[in-house]
Amino acid sequence: MTLITDGGSTKCDWVLLDNSGELVFKTATSGLNPTVVPKEELLLRIASNEDLKSVFNSVEILDFYGAGCGTATPRSILKEVLEELFIKAKVNVSEDMEAAVFAATTKPGIVCILGTGSNSCYFDGTEIHAPIPALGFILMDEASGNYFGKRLIRDYYYHRMPIEIAEEFEKKFNLEADEIKMNLYKKPNPNAYLASFAQFIFTQKEINPYFYALIKEGISNFIECRILCYEKAHEVPVHFIGSIAHFSEKIIKECFAAHNLKLGNIVQRPIDGLIDYYKSRIHNS
């Protein structure tokens, strides 16, 4: 049996396929980004899922595509955790960009992630090229959930947020300074904590001028830093993966028109594309 995982910082989607490519189950855990979640917590989050626990001894292949897995050290930490739990499995840990490409396209293009974090790569039809390393939520992650969460908190405290919006923001979140600092500096997943504030923007029925300006600024920054850096940016379609991209489609289209870029696919949940990719691979093997 093959277990595949789309591992975000906020949530991980898991899918088990049997040897004929048929779906056995889908399940989910909390995020498993090894750069921000301690090893003991990684183990606990996986082991507390009953579906996964039931196949610890039977999974043969485990392919994990995860946020925070773009460099060797966090990738090896997560691999050790998975091998400790899935004792018979051949474990492969790759960065989430690979899953994004599999879910978005089979042809040359630029593939972008806009979820809790953000990233991009150029796919030449065979290989992935990512010349700019992803340095995480403190230094990068333009237009991501944690980017917008930081903006909202800063604007609230600097009194840049319109009064009526600030009052609504106060009702939805605990904005005590001690609460914010504890979650950012003492608890696991500070990036996912920041991203949780972004739902204040993206669950609204209408995008007001304040939200519109925030989203447009974030998307524009992402285009400049993560799309225009590729020399083929104006020659190939640009695809997006993730909830932020899904809910920002209209503004993405506006920003693309200004830069003469071609928008490709927008996929909210890459796990569905991964299932199709793996089924095809199993059937053709």
Side-chain angles (χ1 to χ4, degrees):
M1 291 192 291
T2 299
L3 186 62
I4 54 177
T5 312
D6 171 41
S9 292
T10 300
K11 188 184 78 165
C12 288
D13 289 315
W14 303 73
V15 171
L16 183 67
L17 302 177
D18 65 20
N19 291 334
S20 62
E22 294 303 310
L23 179 68
V24 178
F25 67 68
K26 287 183 179 181
T27 191
T29 63
S30 296
L32 298 170
N33 185 332
T35 63
V36 292
V37 180
K39 184 177 181 180
E40 296 74 17
E41 181 67 16
L42 293 171
L43 282 162
L44 180 62
R45 292 183 182 188
I46 300 171
S48 62
N49 183 286
E50 293 300 324
D51 288 324
L52 297 177
K53 191 184 296 185
S54 71
V55 295
F56 279 171
N57 298 322
S58 56
V59 171
E60 298 161 301
I61 298 171
L62 199 172
D63 288 347
F64 190 103
Y65 302 93
C69 297
T71 53
T73 299
R75 192 162 55 236
S76 64
I77 291 170
L78 187 56
K79 191 173 190 291
E80 288 177 10
V81 167
L82 294 170
E83 288 176 337
E84 183 174 334
L85 296 172
F86 297 90
I87 58 175
K88 295 181 180 179
K90 178 182 178 182
V91 176
N92 303 293
V93 177
S94 305
E95 64 177 326
D96 52 356
M97 270 317 326
E98 288 192 32
V101 170
F102 294 152
T105 186
T106 58
K107 298 179 180 178
I110 294 169
V111 179
C112 309
I113 295 175
L114 287 186
T116 299
S118 68
N119 203 352
S120 72
C121 72
Y122 173 69
F123 179 60
D124 65 13
T126 303
E127 296 183 2
I128 293 171
H129 305 272
I132 302 174
L135 297 180
F137 75 105
I138 294 176
L139 295 175
M140 294 184 173
D141 278 5
E142 296 83 6
S144 67
N146 64 65
Y147 167 93
F148 290 117
K150 280 188 280 190
R151 282 299 309 271
L152 288 170
I153 295 169
R154 285 205 300 263
D155 282 5
Y156 173 81
Y157 269 93
Y158 288 140
H159 304 292
R160 296 171 180 165
M161 187 180 284
I163 293 175
E164 66 278 7
I165 295 177
E167 290 174 349
E168 186 180 351
F169 195 46
E170 289 171 346
K171 294 176 183 177
K172 290 185 177 292
F173 299 97
N174 183 343
L175 297 173
E176 293 290 333
D178 283 346
E179 174 74 9
I180 292 172
K181 288 191 288 185
M182 183 63 67
N183 277 280
L184 290 181
Y185 304 115
K186 295 297 183 180
K187 294 183 179 181
N189 279 68
N191 56 337
Y193 169 73
L194 286 170
S196 69
F197 289 91
Q199 64 180 286
F200 183 62
I201 300 174
F202 295 102
T203 57
Q204 300 290 333
K205 292 181 179 179
E206 295 184 2
I207 298 296
N208 59 52
Y210 168 71
F211 290 157
Y212 174 85
L214 283 186
I215 298 170
K216 187 171 184 180
E217 181 181 339
I219 297 297
S220 296
N221 286 340
F222 183 85
I223 289 171
E224 291 176 12
C225 296
R226 283 293 185 172
I227 296 177
L228 296 180
C229 58
Y230 299 105
E231 62 180 52
K232 293 185 179 293
H234 293 99
E235 300 175 23
V236 297
V238 181
H239 309 282
F240 284 89
I241 300 290
S243 295
I244 298 295
H246 172 76
F247 291 114
S248 305
E249 181 173 353
K250 183 178 179 181
I251 297 176
I252 290 173
K253 287 179 177 177
E254 292 177 8
C255 293
F256 268 37
H259 288 278
N260 195 30
L261 295 167
K262 180 182 178 182
L263 181 61
N265 301 317
I266 295 182
V267 181
Q268 185 175 4
R269 299 179 69 243
I271 194 65
D272 297 325
L274 273 180
I275 293 172
D276 292 338
Y277 171 79
Y278 272 81
K279 282 185 175 182
S280 174
R281 197 168 78 171
I282 290 171
H283 291 155
N284 292 331
S285 63

